[in-house]
Amino acid sequence: MVLSEFFELVQFLFVVTFTTFLFNCVEYDVLFANRVVNHTGQSLSPLDRNKVTLPDAILPSEQCTERIQGNSWIIFLLIMAAIFWVYRLVKVICNVLSYWEIRQFYKKALKIQMDELCNFTWQEVQGRLIHLQREQPMCVQKRELSELDIYHRILRFKNYTVAMINKSLLPVRLRVPFFSDMFFLTQGLKYNFELILFWGPLSLFQNKWSLHPKYKRAANRQELAKQLSRIILLTGLVNLLLCPFVLVWQVLYAFFSYAEVIKREPGSLGARRWSLYGRLYLRHFNELDHELQGRLGRGYKPAAKYMNAFISPLSAVLAKNVAFFSGSVLAVLIALTVYDEDVLTVQHILTAITVLGVVITITRSFIPDEHMVWCPEQLLQCVLAHIHYMPDHWKGNANKSETRDEMAQLFQYKAVFILEELLSPIITPFILIFSLRSKSLEIIDFFRNFTVDVAGVGDICSFAQMDIRRHGNPQWMSEGQTEASVYQQAENGKTELSLMHFTIKNPCWQPPQESSVFISHLKEKVHQDAQTGPSPQLLLSEAPLCTSLLNFCLNARTVRFRSGYSNQCYLFISMSASDSRVLSQSHSGLASEFASAEMSLHAIYMHEVSGHNILKY
């Protein structure tokens, strides 16, 4: 972490210095041979006198300094960059001091040496932390810390953000003329949201663990909403003022980061990644970063296969022909350079080779795999097994382009990600000024209605408690088991799926009574359906996911399951809590794989029964 922050400072310094050098200290007429350079050396041959070297194109330091000093805009930008760099330096120093305290805590309190840390799982570190609280209380408000308490402390602000995305409170949906609605969430926009709501000098939180008391009272909600609106307006105007500088930085940083990669691997722009909005939409309450990364990482290949399955026959034909013609010209140019390398000295010949290579790589992405089998429903089920969330209207519509377009909002092209980040300095001020301000009163009400004070933890988002009775969704539970109104319930089964995920990841955690009832009845229903369901042969023939999971299970002889379920697709769900504990103690890596598989099948099953009111208690 220290090295990462140090090199961020070095990178910023390098980009500013190198860019200033390129704009002020290079004579491009000489570099491009538009102006003859006289070499007066007596020992130089006539051929050497016509060559242009790099030192010929670089101005002397005195002339370079004069150019910089004579340009007031360059001086202004350098001053701004220096101020920002000093601010970052102070922040890095503070972070390093914090990292040192963390290091000492791991060594002295948890008895974990730094060279051994990489061999510890999170569950082992968490177990030592809980044990330490019992022997040497760090939190004086309560005797014992539970796994949920620790997650709440770590993920306090992230749980709020996930809840606001789930309730469509943050304005991340944009209406683009002549196009369908799109989700726009960039690092810059997310930074501004967090600055306004969580840790900025005018934010709603008075410190890292406590919401300001005035936001907990309903009496002055209108006045607080106006105050928040003014803060958002001020932040938006500051973003608008800094837009040119941030935009220049984004362009420069993107150029230095991606130019070489694009030249070496043009197809990298056609690769996909989980969007920032997708990471928040798909994130469970109380899910740590490494847990989310691992889950989405496992879902990458199924998601890529699903997205690549949508190939237009027309575009495939056009792509094949463009690739043929471009490849023919490229082959001739390569053959000429092999025959005589002086061909490379011809003007723009290297540019032509590079462009043709990029065109061929892009067109090949539109040509379908000849061995591809068109089965969108099964592919989408495999994706759901890992991402755990999808809108209800995707069911039965996996073959439609609308579903693919919505999936593309979660699983975007890397080129789209780069473009969004470049446009972020321009779009972010307008989102803050015109969209977020109009939600000021809703935001004030959200934090008042969905903030609870937990002893030893502080103020947290009530959705993060995963309380079925308070925030359950009737479409995912039977009538009468939840008291939540439409305003109070989490959407898309976020409460139910988060509860299952946290319970599976932390088998020693004891959920509250209502949550325990939900989990036990859900597993009972799963076991009943597994017993009365179709034969294993039919399951294996129609469900590729079950095939792979069953094969994985049957090869793991160290695990013992309850009798009667070993031949069913839902056998992972039938594993008892005691089995999970034994497995987690002896084979932590294998336990993680089985926990992921168990949660995958729970997610598929709960999506299948949602909306049908099957879970009658």
Side-chain angles (χ1 to χ4, degrees):
M1 292 188 291
V2 173
L3 280 177
S4 177
E5 299 219 9
F6 170 75
F7 281 113
E8 283 183 9
L9 288 174
V10 174
Q11 281 185 8
F12 182 84
L13 200 61
F14 171 80
V15 170
V16 172
T17 305
F18 191 47
T19 305
T20 304
F21 170 80
L22 292 176
F23 274 99
N24 297 277
C25 302
V26 178
E27 194 70 46
Y28 289 98
D29 285 339
V30 174
L31 185 65
F32 298 148
N34 295 329
R35 194 176 71 197
V36 179
V37 179
N38 294 324
H39 295 84
T40 59
Q42 298 298 324
S43 61
L44 297 178
S45 66
L47 291 176
D48 291 336
R49 292 194 182 97
N50 294 327
K51 290 183 178 180
V52 177
T53 61
L54 282 178
D56 294 332
I58 298 176
L59 296 175
S61 58
E62 297 80 6
Q63 191 174 351
C64 179
T65 304
E66 288 179 4
R67 280 194 176 187
I68 295 174
Q69 292 176 346
N71 192 327
S72 57
W73 272 107
I74 294 293
I75 296 295
F76 176 73
L77 291 175
L78 289 177
I79 292 175
M80 293 287 294
I83 293 173
F84 179 77
W85 190 83
V86 171
Y87 161 75
R88 285 288 302 151
L89 177 63
V90 174
K91 191 173 180 180
V92 167
I93 293 174
C94 295
N95 288 342
V96 168
L97 295 177
S98 176
Y99 297 155
W100 178 258
E101 292 180 0
I102 295 173
R103 185 177 186 273
Q104 295 300 105
F105 179 78
Y106 267 78
K107 290 179 63 177
K108 297 181 179 179
L110 300 183
K111 309 298 182 184
I112 300 176
Q113 301 301 317
M114 292 301 100
D115 56 346
E116 300 175 354
L117 181 58
C118 60
N119 299 322
F120 279 75
T121 64
W122 163 247
Q123 282 69 27
E124 291 172 325
V125 175
Q126 184 175 247
R128 293 199 179 198
L129 189 60
I130 294 173
H131 181 71
L132 179 64
Q133 169 68 15
R134 293 169 182 165
E135 291 189 344
Q136 185 179 346
M138 301 168 291
C139 176
V140 297
Q141 288 87 354
K142 57 192 312 183
R143 177 60 182 171
E144 289 194 6
L145 286 176
S146 68
E147 291 86 350
L148 189 59
D149 292 334
I150 297 173
Y151 275 71
H152 281 163
R153 282 173 169 262
I154 298 173
L155 301 170
R156 188 190 316 274
F157 295 153
K158 289 184 179 179
N159 281 329
Y160 273 109
T161 305
V162 171
M164 287 189 285
I165 289 291
N166 180 256
K167 298 297 291 182
S168 301
L169 186 58
L170 294 179
V172 295
R173 183 191 290 268
L174 299 182
R175 297 187 179 275
V176 182
F178 310 109
F179 293 94
S180 59
D181 292 355
M182 63 172 293
F183 290 96
F184 183 85
L185 182 61
T186 62
Q187 293 291 348
L189 183 58
K190 180 172 174 284
Y191 177 88
N192 278 277
F193 286 158
E194 294 174 349
L195 178 70
I196 293 170
L197 299 176
F198 301 127
W199 52 264
L202 301 176
S203 68
L204 278 63
F205 278 74
Q206 61 181 357
N207 48 48
K208 293 181 179 180
W209 61 87
S210 177
L211 185 70
H212 199 285
K214 64 182 179 181
Y215 293 105
K216 299 179 181 180
R217 298 188 292 267
N220 54 348
R221 55 191 289 268
Q222 293 288 349
E223 181 60 33
L224 291 175
K226 293 179 181 178
Q227 178 182 333
L228 179 60
S229 178
R230 290 192 293 268
I231 294 172
I232 295 173
L233 176 61
L234 176 63
T235 307
L237 293 176
V238 171
N239 274 268
L240 198 60
L241 181 64
L242 296 177
C243 173
F245 311 110
V246 180
L247 181 61
V248 170
W249 165 256
Q250 291 280 65
V251 172
L252 290 174
Y253 188 81
F255 174 77
F256 288 127
S257 298
Y258 301 111
E260 186 274 335
V261 176
I262 293 173
K263 180 184 180 302
R264 177 167 42 87
E265 299 178 15
S268 61
L269 290 179
R272 290 187 177 270
R273 67 188 303 278
W274 296 103
S275 67
L276 189 56
Y277 166 76
R279 290 175 178 272
L280 291 175
Y281 174 81
L282 300 175
R283 188 168 192 157
H284 293 296
F285 292 124
N286 304 307
E287 184 173 23
L288 295 172
D289 290 346
H290 74 273
E291 294 172 345
L292 175 68
Q293 185 64 32
R295 181 163 62 87
L296 296 185
R298 286 187 290 270
Y300 183 89
K301 287 186 178 180
K305 287 183 179 179
Y306 173 75
M307 298 301 291
N308 293 335
F310 290 82
I311 298 294
S312 168
L314 178 61
S315 62
V317 172
L318 293 174
K320 287 180 181 179
N321 284 275
V322 172
F324 171 77
F325 295 126
S326 302
S328 301
V329 177
L330 181 61
V332 172
L333 294 179
I334 292 176
L336 290 174
T337 56
V338 171
Y339 178 76
D340 189 348
E341 63 181 13
D342 288 337
V343 174
L344 293 174
T345 62
V346 177
Q347 192 173 20
H348 299 310
I349 196 70
L350 189 59
T351 303
I353 293 175
T354 303
V355 172
L356 288 172
V358 172
V359 170
I360 293 171
T361 304
I362 294 175
T363 53
R364 282 178 179 171
S365 65
F366 291 94
I367 301 174
D369 183 1
E370 58 180 330
H371 304 294
M372 183 186 68
V373 179
W374 174 248
C375 51
E377 290 293 343
Q378 287 87 342
L379 287 174
L380 193 58
Q381 281 289 86
C382 291
V383 176
L384 175 63
H386 297 289
I387 67 175
H388 300 170
Y389 294 98
M390 73 175 191
D392 291 336
H393 61 268
W394 286 12
K395 295 179 182 178
N397 296 315
N399 61 331
K400 293 187 176 180
S401 59
E402 292 82 1
T403 303
R404 182 207 185 263
D405 293 340
E406 292 182 17
M407 180 66 185
Q409 300 285 346
L410 308 177
F411 196 56
Q412 63 183 181
Y413 284 117
K414 193 169 186 178
V416 175
F417 163 75
I418 297 173
L419 181 61
E420 287 183 351
E421 291 295 330
L422 291 177
L423 295 176
S424 179
I426 302 174
I427 299 177
T428 294
F430 296 100
I431 292 179
L432 297 177
I433 295 173
F434 297 107
S435 298
L436 187 62
R437 282 182 65 209
S438 61
K439 293 182 173 288
S440 297
L441 184 59
E442 295 178 57
I443 293 173
I444 294 297
D445 289 339
F446 177 88
F447 277 89
R448 184 185 69 255
N449 294 326
F450 300 118
T451 295
V452 294
D453 184 12
V454 177
V457 177
D459 289 332
I460 64 167
C461 180
S462 61
F463 284 100
Q465 290 185 304
M466 303 174 295
D467 189 340
I468 295 295
R469 183 172 296 278
R470 182 175 179 182
H471 295 302
N473 193 317
Q475 292 183 350
W476 294 72
M477 297 176 58
S478 66
E479 296 290 340
Q481 295 302 312
T482 176
E483 300 173 354
S485 63
V486 175
Y487 176 69
Q488 293 173 325
Q489 69 191 26
E491 307 299 330
N492 300 317
K494 180 72 77 172
T495 301
E496 292 79 7
L497 286 166
S498 296
L499 175 62
M500 288 304 307
H501 180 265
F502 190 83
T503 304
I504 292 172
K505 285 290 184 180
N506 299 272
C508 296
W509 176 65
Q510 297 297 328
Q513 179 64 29
E514 294 83 358
S515 300
S516 297
V517 171
F518 171 81
I519 294 171
S520 60
H521 282 126
L522 173 61
K523 289 191 174 183
E524 280 182 24
K525 186 62 182 175
V526 170
H527 298 160
Q528 292 173 8
D529 289 351
Q531 288 179 327
T532 60
S535 64
Q537 291 76 14
L538 182 61
L539 284 171
L540 292 177
S541 63
E542 295 186 354
L545 177 63
C546 291
T547 304
S548 60
L549 291 177
L550 277 173
N551 289 335
F552 178 73
C553 170
L554 295 175
N555 290 331
R557 299 182 179 179
T558 57
V559 185
R560 298 293 181 265
F561 293 94
R562 291 177 180 175
S563 60
Y565 302 113
S566 60
N567 62 342
Q568 298 292 342
C569 183
Y570 297 114
L571 55 89
F572 288 107
I573 301 179
S574 66
M575 186 168 63
S576 65
S578 60
D579 294 328
S580 301
R581 291 192 186 97
V582 172
L583 186 60
S584 63
Q585 292 172 1
S586 57
H587 303 281
S588 58
L590 193 60
S592 177
E593 293 297 326
F594 274 105
S596 299
E598 184 180 358
M599 184 61 209
S600 295
L601 290 173
H602 268 112
I604 293 175
Y605 181 83
M606 293 173 74
H607 271 275
E608 287 297 323
V609 303
S610 67
H612 300 293
N613 204 22
I614 288 180
L615 296 182
K616 293 290 187 181
Y617 291 171

